[in-house]
Amino acid sequence: MTARFAVFAQDRSARWILVPGVASTRQIEIRNESDDSVECHLRVEHPPTASASPAVLTIQPHHTRTADIIFLANWSPQTESSLLVSLRDQQGQQLATFSHELVAADSSDCALALDVKEPVLVDGKLAGFKLWFSIASKSPTPRRFEIDFVRHPSLRFPERTAVTLAAGEATAFEVPVEWNRAVRDLQFWNHPLKIEAFVPASHGRRTAVLSWETIERRLDKYLTDDDRVARITPAQQQQRGNTGQSGLSPGQLKYTELLELKKLEQSVVGTARARVPVRPAEQPAHAKASARWSAVATLATTAFAVVGLVLAALFFLRPPVVHPATTPVHVSPPDLPTPVITVHKASPRTKHLAGTGPVAKPVWTSVAAAQGQTVAGVDSSQEQAHAQAPAAPAPAAVALAPAAQPAHHVDVNRNAVVSLNSVDAAYAAGGRAVSVAWSGSAQAGATVQVLDYNGKIIASRDVSGNRSSTTLRLPRGYHGSVSVQVIALGYHGERVVQSAFLTSRG
C-alpha cells in the first residue's frame, strides 16, 4: 500500500519572515495518513543555508510528527526567497514535498487593487471619473507606502499620496481623475490604453492595472465617437512630421507647436492691418507722443530717486535723542506671619525606616502663596490636633524616609534566537488536567497545545513573557493518550516546538 503524507507549516502561515544576519528556526508538521508505519528521510533541497532536524524520523499510521527547519545567519533574502523540502522513504523514493516563501523581516511589500467607481459630471457633461483604490500591507512591521499613477496628457491625477499601515492592515479610498477630452497624445488618443497605479517596494514596485475598456463600459452613455477613435488634427500631423525629421522631444514639440500658432496669428493680424488704409500723418504723431512720454517717465523716475535719497539721509543722520536716566526702585518686603508647623510623633515603624534629614523650611514665591500656605498649615495642624490625642512636643527636625529603590531590571537579549531544552508533562487533578513545564531562553511568549491520538487539538493555552509552566484541563470524558506541544515564540517571530507524550490513564 502506498504511503500518503501531508506536510504543512506549523504556524499555518503563507510565508515565513526571517531576520537577516540572525539564525532562526521554523517548524513543519508531517502527517502519515496511511495504515503503515514509515521511516521518513527529510532533506532541504534549497536554500543551502537551511537544514532539517531530525533528518530521519519514524511516523506511526495516522500520526503527526514535527520537524525543525534551521536557517543559518548567512541566509540571504535576495537569492534565497523560497524553501523546498523533500520527504523520502528508505529506498529513496519521494513521498511528499513542502515549499514555502521566505521574506526578510525588514522588507516592504503590499498588495494593490484598482477599480472604476462612478463618473464625474459638470453641467450634465462628462468631466472625469472616480477610481476606487485599495492597498493591503504585507510587511511584518509598520510601513509607509507612497501611491502614484502613470501620467497621461488628457488625465489629471491627484498628487502623490502616502499612507502608513501596520502589519497586515489594509485601507481603501476614492481617487478623483479629471479628463480633458480635447487633449490627445502622440498616438492621437484622448485617453490611455490602461490606468496604472504603483507603489515602491523593497524589490522593485507593486502595480495595479485597470484597462480602459472597463472604464468605457462604465461611462458608455456619456462617451462620443471622438472618445472611441484616434483622430489626427492638422497641428498633430505637422508635429508628427517634425518629430520624424528633427527628433524633438514631446515637450519641445509642444513648444514648437505654440510657436507656429503664434506665427500664424501674427501673419493673420499683419495681413488684416495691411488691408486697412493708414494715414501717413498719424505715424509721426504716435512717435512724438511715445518720445514725450518716455522723457516724462525718465524725469519722474529721477525725481523719485532724489526724494528717496534725501529722506534716507534725514532718517539716518538725525541727532540721537537723550533719554532720561532711570534709577532702581527699592521696595521693602512685606511683613508675613510666621507659619505654624506641627510635627507629629512618628510611629516606631516610621522611626525605624526614617533617617535624620535637614529641617524643612517653607519656600514662597509670592505674598499670596505665603499666606495660603500659612493658613493651610494652621488649619491642618488644628484639625490633626482635634482628631488625635495631645502628644509631647517634638523637635523641629523632620524625619525623611529614604527614597524607594527601583526594582532590579533584567536585561533581555532580543537578538538571541529562542530555544527549548526540554518539555515535561504529567496528569494533574486526578487525571482531568495536564500539567506542563519546560525550559529555554529568549522566549517572548509561548503556546501550549494538547492533542488527542488523532492529532486533533483538544486544549490550548497562550502564555506571555518567559513563563515556563501551565496547566490545561482535558475535555470531559476523554481518557485516551495525549501529545503535548510547546511552541516558544521569539522576539523576531521565530518559533521553536518541542513535544511530549502521555499514555492513556486507563
Side-chain angles (χ1 to χ4, degrees):
M1 182 177 181
T2 304
R4 301 185 304 273
F5 288 85
V7 186
F8 47 88
Q10 172 73 34
D11 54 7
R12 303 299 195 273
S13 61
R15 55 185 179 174
W16 285 340
I17 302 172
L18 307 179
V19 180
V22 178
S24 56
T25 304
R26 297 294 184 271
Q27 287 73 36
I28 60 175
E29 290 186 4
I30 308 170
R31 180 174 177 80
N32 183 6
E33 298 181 350
S34 63
D35 298 330
D36 300 326
S37 176
V38 180
E39 180 180 312
C40 302
H41 296 255
L42 294 178
R43 184 174 65 184
V44 178
E45 303 295 340
H46 64 78
T49 56
S51 59
S53 176
V56 180
L57 67 165
T58 302
I59 306 178
Q60 301 299 325
H62 304 288
H63 276 67
T64 302
R65 290 289 303 272
T66 302
D68 294 339
I69 304 298
I70 303 173
F71 296 91
L72 301 179
N74 58 349
W75 171 79
S76 174
Q78 287 77 19
T79 58
E80 302 172 356
S81 59
S82 62
L83 170 74
L84 179 61
V85 180
S86 62
L87 185 67
R88 303 177 183 273
D89 58 9
Q90 293 179 339
Q91 289 74 27
Q93 296 181 356
Q94 183 169 294
L95 302 175
T97 59
F98 172 76
S99 60
H100 215 59
E101 183 180 0
L102 305 178
V103 180
D106 57 350
S107 65
S108 175
D109 196 6
C110 61
L112 311 179
L114 192 63
D115 195 5
V116 60
K117 187 178 180 183
E118 59 186 11
V120 176
L121 303 179
V122 177
D123 297 333
K125 295 182 179 180
L126 181 65
F129 49 88
K130 292 181 180 180
L131 300 175
W132 186 251
F133 178 84
S134 60
I135 177 173
S137 174
K138 291 186 177 181
S139 301
T141 56
R143 289 289 175 178
R144 183 175 182 267
F145 301 98
E146 294 185 354
I147 305 162
D148 205 350
F149 291 84
V150 177
R151 306 295 169 172
H152 187 269
S154 65
L155 301 181
R156 183 179 179 183
F157 295 93
E159 296 297 330
R160 177 178 296 182
T161 305
V163 296
T164 301
L165 301 177
E169 187 179 2
T171 185
F173 53 89
E174 65 178 21
V175 180
V177 182
E178 297 181 13
W179 185 15
N180 189 350
R181 301 158 70 185
V183 177
R184 296 183 178 271
D185 56 16
L186 297 178
Q187 285 74 34
F188 317 113
W189 291 94
N190 66 349
H191 59 79
L193 299 179
K194 62 183 179 179
I195 294 181
E196 182 177 357
F198 61 91
V199 174
S202 295
H203 306 289
R205 67 180 188 178
R206 298 292 178 265
T207 60
V209 178
L210 180 65
S211 64
W212 188 260
E213 287 78 5
T214 304
I215 299 178
E216 280 189 347
R217 288 195 296 268
R218 191 66 179 272
L219 310 177
D220 183 64
K221 62 180 180 180
Y222 303 104
L223 300 180
T224 62
D225 294 338
D226 291 339
D227 301 328
R228 295 184 173 89
V229 296
R231 295 190 180 277
I232 304 176
T233 61
Q236 289 176 329
Q237 182 68 28
Q238 183 178 3
Q239 176 179 335
R240 185 176 182 180
N242 294 337
T243 304
Q245 295 174 3
S246 59
L248 299 178
S249 63
Q252 294 173 336
L253 287 174
K254 183 177 293 185
Y255 175 77
T256 306
E257 179 183 349
L258 293 176
L259 190 60
E260 293 295 334
L261 292 176
K262 189 66 177 179
K263 289 182 180 179
L264 179 62
E265 179 183 356
Q266 291 178 355
S267 64
V268 173
V269 174
T271 305
R273 287 181 178 179
R275 293 178 181 177
V276 178
V278 182
R279 290 179 296 178
E282 293 180 357
Q283 182 65 23
H286 287 292
K288 291 180 180 180
S290 177
R292 188 184 303 111
W293 281 109
S294 299
V296 172
T298 304
L299 292 176
T301 303
T302 305
F304 280 118
V306 172
V307 172
L309 291 175
V310 172
L311 293 177
L314 292 176
F315 180 79
F316 288 103
L317 299 179
R318 61 181 178 177
V321 180
V322 180
H323 296 280
T326 58
T327 59
V329 179
H330 298 280
V331 179
S332 58
D335 295 334
L336 302 177
T338 302
V340 179
I341 302 177
T342 303
V343 181
H344 296 280
K345 185 176 181 180
S347 63
R349 177 178 176 83
T350 306
K351 288 182 178 181
H352 178 71
L353 296 178
T356 303
V359 178
K361 295 182 179 181
V363 179
W364 303 304
T365 58
S366 64
V367 176
Q371 293 177 355
Q373 292 185 9
T374 303
V375 174
V378 173
D379 293 343
S380 61
S381 63
Q382 291 177 357
E383 292 175 0
Q384 293 177 0
H386 287 293
Q388 298 179 0
V398 179
L400 300 178
Q405 297 296 329
H408 180 65
H409 178 70
V410 179
D411 294 331
V412 178
N413 185 7
R414 295 180 178 271
N415 292 326
V417 180
V418 63
S419 63
L420 277 177
N421 298 331
S422 61
V423 175
D424 297 328
Y427 287 111
R432 294 189 296 272
V434 175
S435 178
V436 185
W438 63 94
S439 61
S441 62
Q443 173 182 308
T447 299
V448 182
Q449 299 175 346
V450 178
L451 295 81
D452 61 4
Y453 56 88
N454 288 324
K456 178 182 177 182
I457 299 176
I458 57 178
S460 177
R461 175 166 298 176
D462 294 331
V463 177
S464 60
N466 57 356
R467 182 180 170 185
S468 59
S469 63
T470 186
T471 303
L472 294 87
R473 192 173 185 84
L474 296 177
R476 186 175 182 180
Y478 182 79
H479 299 283
S481 60
V482 294
S483 297
V484 179
Q485 288 188 352
V486 178
I487 306 173
L489 311 177
Y491 291 98
H492 299 283
E494 60 268 20
R495 299 166 179 255
V496 180
V497 178
Q498 291 288 343
S499 59
F501 180 77
L502 292 177
T503 58
S504 175
R505 61 180 183 272

